[in-house]
Amino acid sequence: MPLARLVYASLTPAPVSSRDLMEILEVARFRNRKDGITGLLCYADRRFLQVLEGPPEAVCETFYRLLRDSRHCEIRLLDFRHTANRLFDDWTMGFAGVAEITNDIVAKHSPSGDFVGFASAPDAALAFVTELGPLLSSGDLAPAA
Ligand SMILES: Cc1cc2nc3c(=O)[nH]c(=O)nc-3n(C[C@H](O)[C@H](O)[C@H](O)COP(=O)(O)O)c2cc1C
């Protein structure tokens, strides 16, 4: 089955609470399970960085819905490619927040040394999520309460 991976970055109009993150993840995981999508959602500094992977049409349709979602703005498509393997195949949507996104791993990859820098550095963003994924414990993590 053909697979695609999409990475985008976005900004939130205001800080997002754990409760709001839980709600986003609950809907995302429900839909993604049906659509064959896996991935990772990162949230820090009022920014999202998300990886969506799965059948190319399903990945695109999910991204089109995300583009219309007013909970974030300034959505920047960083990468879209066909791929043979999923990076996050046991997560309908994993989550990484302030507890997981450490200064060390951000500084290692971000050209500006902060999470914001990934929004304008596609290669750095991809390297960051690729390294971050395996460091997280397996499964659909929820944001810390
Ligand atoms: C940061 C963020 C990440 C999201 N991730 C997903 C996702 O992975 N899959 C998904 O189906 N919806 C995701 N959503 C929700 C979609 O934007 C949309 O609300 C949902 O798919 C329902 O769309 P519908 O009301 O048009 O059916 C996310 C929303 C936000 C703000």
Side-chain angles (χ1 to χ4, degrees):
M1 195 215 293
L3 279 178
R5 181 180 313 119
L6 183 151
V7 184
Y8 78 85
S10 65
L11 177 68
T12 64
V16 180
S17 66
S18 301
R19 193 195 169 106
D20 291 341
L21 285 169
M22 291 288 271
E23 204 175 289
I24 289 171
L25 285 168
E26 199 177 323
V27 172
R29 288 168 180 167
F30 178 78
R31 291 288 296 245
N32 293 349
R33 190 166 291 118
K34 286 202 301 188
D35 294 342
I37 290 189
T38 53
L40 179 66
L41 178 66
C42 303
Y43 176 70
D45 291 339
R46 281 185 50 202
R47 304 250 169 190
F48 287 117
L49 182 64
Q50 188 173 23
V51 182
L52 299 167
E53 50 190 19
E57 307 74 31
V59 168
C60 290
E61 278 161 25
T62 303
F63 186 58
Y64 298 149
R65 290 200 306 279
L66 281 160
L67 287 173
R68 294 194 299 266
D69 196 316
S70 61
R71 290 172 289 185
H72 58 177
C73 52
E74 294 186 22
I75 300 173
R76 290 191 190 164
L77 177 61
L78 298 179
D79 197 62
F80 179 87
R81 65 180 69 186
H82 290 267
T83 176
N85 302 102
R86 292 177 190 253
L87 288 173
F88 305 101
D89 59 355
D90 53 351
W91 295 340
T92 53
M93 189 46 63
F95 178 76
V98 284
E100 294 84 16
I101 301 171
T102 61
N103 289 341
D104 284 356
I105 187 166
V106 170
K108 179 174 170 190
H109 293 289
S110 170
S112 57
D114 57 13
F115 190 69
V116 177
F118 293 126
S120 47
D123 291 345
L126 196 57
F128 169 72
V129 293
T130 304
E131 183 172 338
L132 182 64
L135 299 179
L136 305 174
S137 50
S138 181
D140 282 332
L141 302 181

